[in-house]
């Protein structure tokens, strides 16, 4: 059974992001916040957290601010606690409290 071009493309992209999360994060740093969030939602949580942890801290802060609480919890329960605390400290107090509740 042959794959559709978009299915094959998606598998190639996912494989690249899984094997090279640092390079993937570097690429995503140039994407819009919405595109980054869309990518993170579509990936296996273990893969998305590796990429998220390597995003530019300024970009990661913007992503945190706009991501849905479900994705936030999924991501933050699996990243390094020190990194999570550093990123949350970059948010305004009200946003940080809302995300950590």
């Amino acid at each position: 059974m042959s794959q559709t071009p978009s299915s094959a493309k998606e598998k190639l992209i996912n494989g690249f992001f899984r094997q090279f999360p640092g390079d993937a994060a570097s690429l995503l740093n140039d994407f819009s916040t919405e595109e980054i969030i869309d990518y993170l939602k579509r990936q296996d949580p273990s893969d998305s957290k590796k990429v998220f942890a390597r995003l530019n801290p300024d970009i990661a802060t913007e992503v945190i601010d706009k991501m849905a609480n479900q994705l936030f919890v999924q991501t933050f329960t699996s990243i390094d606690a020190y990194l999570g605390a550093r990123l949350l400290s970059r948010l305004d107090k009200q946003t940080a409290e809302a995300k950590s509740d």
Side-chain angles (χ1 to χ4, degrees):
M1 180 187 336
S2 66
Q3 296 179 351
T4 64
S6 62
S7 174
K9 178 181 172 185
E10 195 72 23
K11 284 186 177 194
L12 285 170
I13 292 169
N14 292 344
F16 171 78
F17 279 68
R18 186 175 305 112
Q19 291 183 340
F20 306 104
D23 293 332
S26 292
L27 290 172
L28 286 176
N29 282 329
D30 294 330
F31 285 55
S32 72
T33 304
E34 292 77 17
E35 289 171 315
I36 295 170
I37 291 170
D38 184 55
Y39 162 74
L40 294 173
K41 287 190 305 191
R42 291 183 291 128
Q43 302 309 306
D44 181 87
S46 66
D47 296 335
S48 65
K49 72 131 180 162
K50 290 175 188 174
V51 173
F52 177 80
R54 290 167 174 84
L55 288 172
N56 172 299
D58 293 331
I59 303 296
T61 302
E62 290 176 27
V63 170
I64 293 166
D65 188 40
K66 293 186 178 180
M67 68 177 28
N69 286 344
Q70 180 181 357
L71 181 59
F72 173 80
V73 170
Q74 173 186 310
T75 303
F76 268 70
T77 56
S78 60
I79 65 169
D80 176 71
Y82 177 72
L83 172 62
R86 277 190 8 234
L87 292 173
L88 285 177
S89 73
R90 298 171 69 98
L91 296 171
D92 65 69
K93 185 177 179 178
Q94 184 177 12
T95 302
E97 287 175 359
K99 292 289 183 185
S100 59
D101 285 341

